[in-house]
Amino acid sequence: MRVLIGVIGALVVLGTFSSVLRTLLIPRPTRSVFTRLLHKTVQVPFQFVADQCHRFETKDRVLAPVAAVSILFHLVGWLAGAWLGYSMLQTAVSGFHAMDALRETGVALFTLGFASSRSVELTLLDLCAAATGPIIIGLQIGYLPALYSAYSRREAEVTTLQARAGSPAWGPELLARYAQIGLTDSITDLFRNWERWSAEVSESHTSYVVLSRFRSPRANDNWLISLLAVMDAAAMQLALNPSHPQADARLVLRTGFVCLRNIAAVWRLPFEPDPSPDTPIRLTYEEFAGAVAHVTAHGYAVERAPEQAWPHFSGWRVNYEDLAYRFAYLLDAVPAPWSGPRRTSKEDITPVTPVDRKPNVAC
């Protein structure tokens, strides 16, 4: 029995260290079962309360602490796992009762220093436990600056987009506002910035999975909705104006849906890696035609009629629509046009386009 307890204890300690390494140190998409279980334990009660809310602003406030609480629970879970594993090893080596083993290990793990043993084997276990506690806490503290630095870079572009694409962001609104102020030709600069942004988010949100759950400082902003708006704007430009420069629009689309697919792979969400351009999408032609009317009313010039542009637009959108809708549902992102349903709210929020007011010049 003591051998079995010792083997289980060693497996618990090794599993705890494996989870710490996968979550904090290995710079690639690796996520342990223990980490997923801890995150689910935190997510479920917050989501239950949020589902009872009728206003999105209230729901957003309820869900805002989820990521931070999840990080705290990771630390508590790792320390608890180390405590349990070393206590089982103490029991196997010394024959201590459970409470005595927990006391001996807890004193060493948290470096309290009021209990010790003269046994060489127990002293070695105490030293290992004493090193484990500060190592886990130190790694967690060092993990936070990298996490919040990636979050800050992500949100800087999301905030900048608010003035360009509305709040919440919407792809046609982006084209309309650029046309209003005569910057349609420079929209390629925005596409280049968001191509780089998508690559950074792909790297950071697969290495630090909890980042996807970090919500924006303002309820109407969301990283997923912003990315969807930029991709929709690029797809509309390619569909409506084939003579315009295409390279940057095509690259931001490809980088954007690759970003969503990389994150989906970590989340273990299924997706079609190479969908046919003829596959139907959930956005309707009527919605697309209404958006074309919206952008043209604000000065955006088009070369194709909506019925001609629709097959080209849907052929691009099929690459990312399904995953964007899945993530918007799972993350309870702000309801926005062209972003699919939510858990408890089916409404769409249509952004209002500001009117440029020009001074009257007396003749």
Side-chain angles (χ1 to χ4, degrees):
M1 179 61 70
R2 287 172 60 178
V3 172
L4 178 61
I5 292 174
V7 170
I8 295 174
L11 291 175
V12 171
V13 171
L14 291 175
T16 301
F17 274 110
S18 173
S19 179
V20 172
L21 288 172
R22 287 168 176 265
T23 305
L24 302 182
L25 293 179
I26 300 177
R28 62 185 307 172
T30 55
R31 195 179 181 190
S32 69
V33 175
F34 185 62
T35 300
R36 289 197 298 271
L37 180 61
L38 284 176
H39 182 77
K40 197 71 175 177
T41 302
V42 174
Q43 175 70 23
V44 168
F46 278 93
Q47 191 66 65
F48 175 79
V49 175
D51 287 346
Q52 315 310 310
C53 301
H54 298 290
R55 296 178 65 251
F56 176 75
E57 290 78 7
T58 306
K59 177 183 290 191
D60 184 72
R61 285 197 296 271
V62 171
L63 293 175
V66 169
V69 174
S70 178
I71 292 173
L72 180 61
F73 261 64
H74 281 98
L75 177 60
V76 173
W78 289 326
L79 291 175
W83 191 357
L84 175 63
Y86 280 119
S87 296
M88 296 178 77
L89 288 172
Q90 291 271 14
T91 300
V93 171
S94 67
F96 282 168
H97 292 295
M99 292 306 298
D100 292 333
L102 287 170
R103 176 177 178 272
E104 177 84 16
T105 303
V107 169
L109 184 66
F110 300 104
T111 63
L112 300 177
F114 60 78
S116 62
S117 174
R118 295 181 180 179
S119 168
V120 175
E121 294 84 357
L122 293 182
T123 299
L124 289 175
L125 285 174
D126 287 343
L127 290 173
C128 290
T132 299
I135 287 174
I136 292 177
I137 295 171
L139 288 175
Q140 182 78 321
I141 292 173
Y143 165 77
L144 293 178
L147 197 68
Y148 282 98
S149 176
Y151 171 78
S152 178
R153 292 194 302 273
R154 185 191 80 184
E155 291 302 314
E157 289 293 335
V158 172
T159 302
T160 302
L161 194 70
Q162 182 180 4
R164 301 165 185 258
S167 180
W170 185 38
E173 184 70 10
L174 176 60
L175 297 180
R177 294 193 180 189
Y178 264 72
Q180 268 191 321
I181 57 179
L183 289 179
T184 302
D185 292 339
S186 67
I187 199 170
T188 53
D189 294 333
L190 180 136
F191 291 157
R192 290 191 199 104
N193 290 338
W194 277 82
E195 179 192 354
R196 188 180 305 107
W197 180 95
S198 298
E200 290 182 357
V201 167
S202 176
E203 187 278 329
S204 60
H205 287 51
T206 53
S207 297
Y208 308 120
V209 182
V210 72
L211 268 175
S212 299
R213 294 282 185 183
F214 271 92
R215 305 181 77 85
S216 296
R218 291 159 297 279
N220 278 356
D221 291 343
N222 182 271
W223 67 269
L224 174 67
I225 299 302
S226 298
L227 176 59
L228 178 61
V230 172
M231 289 195 292
D232 280 338
M236 285 189 72
Q237 176 155 304
L238 290 171
L240 292 167
N241 293 307
S243 68
H244 285 202
Q246 293 196 1
D248 293 303
R250 293 170 70 96
L251 285 172
V252 76
L253 276 167
R254 178 162 292 279
T255 311
F257 67 69
V258 167
C259 170
L260 292 180
R261 291 175 184 182
N262 288 341
I263 299 173
V266 177
W267 282 51
R268 299 185 178 179
L269 296 179
F271 60 87
E272 175 57 52
D274 188 21
S276 169
D278 298 326
T279 302
I281 62 174
R282 283 184 269 181
L283 188 75
T284 65
Y285 169 74
E286 289 71 23
E287 290 175 296
F288 175 73
V292 175
H294 174 71
V295 299
T296 54
H298 290 88
Y300 185 77
V302 299
E303 301 167 10
R304 285 176 174 152
E307 60 271 15
Q308 295 173 314
W310 171 247
H312 300 276
F313 175 79
S314 61
W316 281 110
R317 201 171 204 262
V318 73
N319 289 289
Y320 59 86
E321 184 189 70
D322 183 63
L323 275 182
Y325 282 17
R326 282 173 180 263
F327 277 122
Y329 182 88
L330 291 173
L331 298 174
D332 253 326
V334 56
W338 296 13
S339 63
R342 301 294 184 272
R343 297 174 63 91
T344 55
S345 176
K346 302 294 188 289
E347 78 224 58
D348 262 359
I349 300 174
T350 303
V352 177
T353 303
V355 178
D356 287 343
R357 300 188 181 275
K358 298 181 180 180
N360 293 322
V361 180
C363 297

